[in-house]
Amino acid sequence: MSEAASARRLVRRGSAVTLLALLALAGVYLLALGFTPIEARQGPAQKIFYLHVPAAWSALLAFSLVGLSGGLYLWLNDRRLDRFAASSAEVGVAFGVVMLTTGPIWAKPIWGTWWTWDARLTLTLFLFFLFVGYLALRAALHDPSERARFSAVVGVLGLLLVPFIHLSVYLFRTLHPQPVVLKPSAPSLPPEMLRTLLISTLAFVLLYIGLVTIRYGVALAEEEREGRLDAA
Amino acid sequence: MPPDNAGYMVAAYVVTAVILVGYSVGLWRRARRAVREDGPRDRA
């Protein structure tokens, strides 16, 4: 199958998965707003949790996969790994925007401030800027192998930040709450809240898969066109 | 009695929907353009 046909097939499949994920997300809105209890101390604002946490997890997953595939690219020199890394970085930045906008909207009524420069928030903001820089670097470099090599190094550096972000709430004094699910002991959430959180996480992961598939198809189509122009 | 802060919740849900649907539609349109530009060669 030619690259153009593969790109078309990927875009078709990715679009179907993305549509399914957006419908699932609409279901999450119904579940979270209509069928999940209001937390007694924080009130309705606590329901931001069902979007903020899955968006944060998906962004960190996306950025980690950029680093892993970047490292593998430096080792194996396989163009598919570079295409995947570029796709995952872009989708990760989109999820990062959700994380960094819902966080302050939740913080204002609970902490009394939109933002605080504590370790968790500051490291997360740095990670986000690092991947915005990753995308800018890719856009600025025209030689494909140079672009892939340089951005793979930036991706690996971003990956190194991810464990610090997870552990920052233990290592530093911070306003940000400690994990209620991703911790050694059992999740400290009522079952209805845990159910909504897990369903929302599945919807976000499905959306990640759909969007990365479309973006990979775009990268494939663009490479094919660049190759054709170079050959002409 | 829980505090009345539903406005923040509504704002976060609306902002999330705008970002995710906006990015999905934008990417889909970009993908359609990209594969359309490849089309004639593929059919040839």
Side-chain angles (χ1 to χ4, degrees):
Chain A
M1 188 186 293
S2 74
E3 285 195 342
S6 299
R8 235 191 301 277
R9 196 191 46 168
L10 282 169
V11 168
R12 231 183 0 254
R13 288 186 181 174
S15 302
V17 175
T18 299
L19 187 64
L20 191 67
L22 289 173
L23 290 173
L25 207 58
V28 168
Y29 271 47
L30 280 177
L31 186 64
L33 300 177
F35 300 96
T36 307
I38 293 174
E39 208 266 341
R41 273 179 307 167
Q42 292 196 17
Q46 184 272 339
K47 294 193 178 195
I48 297 171
F49 173 73
Y50 306 115
L51 298 179
H52 176 72
V53 174
W57 285 348
S58 309
L60 292 179
L61 170 75
F63 295 149
S64 302
L65 290 176
V66 175
L68 285 174
S69 45
L72 284 172
Y73 174 82
L74 293 173
W75 182 28
L76 302 170
N77 206 22
D78 186 332
R79 289 283 286 278
R80 288 175 299 183
L81 290 163
D82 177 56
R83 258 181 243 133
F84 173 76
S87 310
S88 188
E90 191 179 294
V91 176
V93 166
F95 285 143
V97 173
V98 173
M99 164 179 65
L100 288 168
T101 47
T102 53
I105 296 172
W106 188 12
K108 181 63 180 165
I110 306 305
W111 297 345
T113 179
W114 296 102
W115 185 264
T116 174
W117 292 102
D118 79 358
R120 167 61 75 92
L121 277 70
T122 308
L123 283 173
T124 307
L125 188 66
F126 281 179
L127 183 74
F128 175 77
F129 284 147
L130 193 138
F131 279 97
V132 171
Y134 174 98
L135 296 177
L137 178 73
R138 294 193 69 92
L141 294 172
H142 295 293
D143 176 50
S145 67
E146 196 175 70
R147 180 171 58 206
R149 245 179 322 116
F150 289 4
S151 53
V153 173
V154 178
V156 171
L157 293 174
L159 173 64
L160 297 179
L161 256 182
V162 172
F164 282 104
I165 290 174
H166 181 67
L167 296 174
S168 58
V169 286
Y170 299 112
L171 297 172
F172 304 98
R173 276 151 54 103
T174 166
L175 266 179
H176 196 281
Q178 296 200 345
V180 290
V181 178
L182 296 179
K183 57 183 185 141
S185 54
S188 41
L189 267 182
E192 302 96 328
M193 292 184 177
L194 185 62
R195 176 204 59 195
T196 305
L197 176 69
L198 294 179
I199 292 173
S200 180
T201 303
L202 285 177
F204 269 83
V205 170
L206 192 65
L207 187 60
Y208 168 78
I209 294 169
L211 292 172
V212 166
T213 308
I214 299 177
R215 181 61 185 76
Y216 190 99
V218 171
L220 200 59
E222 285 173 350
E223 271 180 33
E224 209 266 346
R225 195 177 66 244
E226 278 172 18
R228 203 173 352 129
L229 290 174
D230 286 347
Chain B
M1 188 76 176
D4 180 20
N5 49 25
Y8 291 97
M9 176 191 76
V10 172
Y13 276 73
V14 169
V15 164
T16 301
V18 168
I19 295 167
L20 294 180
V21 173
Y23 176 65
S24 302
V25 171
L27 182 61
W28 177 72
R29 290 176 65 174
R30 197 166 125 205
R32 239 174 33 146
R33 251 196 329 270
V35 295
R36 198 184 294 146
E37 282 168 13
D38 274 346
R41 179 190 155 88
D42 195 47
R43 280 192 293 272

